[in-house]
Amino acid sequence: MKIAILGGDGFVGWPTSLHLSDQGHEVHIIDNLSRRWIDAELGVQSLTPMDSIQERTRIWKQETGNTIRFHLIDIARDYEVFKAWLADNRPDAIIHFAEQRAAPYSMKSDQHKNYTVNNNVNATHHLLNAMVELDLDAHLVHLGTMGVYGYSSVGAAIPEGYLSVDVETLNGSKAAQEILYPANPGSIYHMTKCLDQLLFQFYAKNDGLKITDLHQGIVWGTHTEQTLRHKQLINRFDYDGDYGTVLNRFLIQAAIGYPLTVHGTGGQTRAFIHIQDSVRCIELALKNPPKKGDRVKVFNQMTETHRVRDLAELISRLTGAKVAYLPNPRKEAAENDLVVENKQFLELGLNPITLEEGLLSEVVDVAKNFAYRVDRSRVPAVSAWTKEIADEIERDP
Ligand code: NAD
Ligand code: USQ
């Protein structure tokens, strides 16, 4: 297949590009490199030393003989350029990673809220709009988030996208209906993913676009089979207070002797998936597209759930790191249970990497190897969800 990978220079996009190229697909990365600019804005860098995208693709060609093409396009701002590229190239599949994905970054200021909404909603809408305009019959696979559901399973597992409800009809009888699971975002970033869902629902219904939405949990880990082939193919690894996700942050904190930064009581339960499994799931989704006219196909792309304080205690046991319980900069439930259905990927053959087997090698190989690159002043999470929370933390840090 000819596959366009929007956001292919990012943390999940890069290993996905390598994996699909390795399988013989013709891979085109479209990226505006905004993530690299945001590193510059925040004064941080990936824990792992990342080469330019041009250099990365050159090394891939040298190692495998496979070509990955890179196209510098901002899909949220340069609609005509993006549409012209799609018209010229007519990919068979499009994987859409190209959004601002950090919840703390999206909550930093009014400018960051505007940027996240404009970038994410326009990116998704431009893509859908152009596909219809060009009669492009490609399969669109989008990386969504578990966060669209909110994080509470209220005694029943969260289903894969759709909820069966009984509604009382006007004549008093009951009728069954399947609705999109009620959206319950916890940040401006997560809100944009909820808006994406509506855009997908409309374009699948109105124009028959073939769309798969992957509701992904928190991705952890760094390496995949392909990124390990050469040190210059290494993936990015974010550890800072805005982009670092919780488990990867705890790993690097343990490696540099920084007390693990648990927000609040650490009673937040979240869904997780290893980067290698994330890449495999995307491949499985690509191989199993919905038919034209089908509703949006939703997968829950996660393999296990954990409470934040349990993760901290596990890493503390493995490494001897101290655990710090800090005031929570976010507005979120202090404690929640989470049970999630993920039957579809398991039935398609996914054999998940568990935290227990992957964790130690990650601490040793990545966190310890690159610990010298960490700027400790960038570790604290400083983006507060409301002005009241910011004031409270300032009074009592
Ligand atoms: P990332 O920030 O590392 O990568 C996103 C890439 O998209 C970057 O290379 C960025 O430059 C590019 N991009 C952003 N806006 C663009 C635009 N307007 N035009 C062109 N390129 C643009 O993020 P990631 O961690 O790789 O996440 C990829 C996707 O997966 C995101 O949509 C995210 O919401 C979703 N996701 C990520 C996680 C996670 O834990 N990392 C979990 C669940 C879902
Ligand atoms: N947390 C801590 N300490 C930290 C960092 C985070 O206790 O140092 C807590 C947060 O308060 C939160 C939980 O850990 O309760 C998860 O935070 P996170 O930053 O790891 O994840 P989140 O903000 O939800 O976002 C990440 C990705 C996002 C993706 C989402 C999947 O950045 O792109 O959509 O995970 S999910 O959470 O399943 O919605």
Side-chain angles (χ1 to χ4, degrees), residues 22 37 91 112 133 191 199 201 239 244 315 347 352 359 362:
D22 209 20
W37 284 103
H112 292 89
E133 189 59 24
M191 185 188 76
L199 298 175
Q201 192 180 37
Y239 69 87
I315 293 171
E347 282 169 10
L359 210 50
E362 206 67 43

Side-chain angles (χ1 to χ4, degrees), residues 7 9-13 31-35 73-76 97-99 101 119 143-144 189 193 216-219 236 243 245:
D9 187 44
F11 170 58
V12 191
D31 203 299
N32 66 350
L33 307 185
S34 54
R35 182 67 196 85
I73 302 176
D74 186 326
I75 67 166
F97 298 100
E99 295 181 86
R101 70 105 177 127
N119 186 65
L143 271 290
Y189 154 71
K193 294 283 179 176
Q216 182 166 246
I218 301 170
V219 182
R236 69 175 300 134
Y243 276 87
T245 49

Side-chain angles (χ1 to χ4, degrees), residues 94-99 120 124 127 139-145 192-193 196-197 200 211-216 301:
I94 301 172
I95 311 180
H96 176 24
F97 298 100
E99 295 181 86
N120 294 4
T124 300
L127 170 60
H139 175 202
L140 164 58
V141 177
H142 171 251
L143 271 290
T145 175
T192 65
K193 294 283 179 176
D196 282 349
Q197 286 196 101
F200 295 141
I211 303 172
T212 298
D213 199 4
L214 304 174
H215 290 186
Q216 182 166 246
Q301 185 162 310

Side-chain angles (χ1 to χ4, degrees), residues 46 50 130 159 247 254 330 345 363:
S46 162
M50 274 167 79
L247 184 50
R330 304 187 184 201
F345 276 131
V363 181

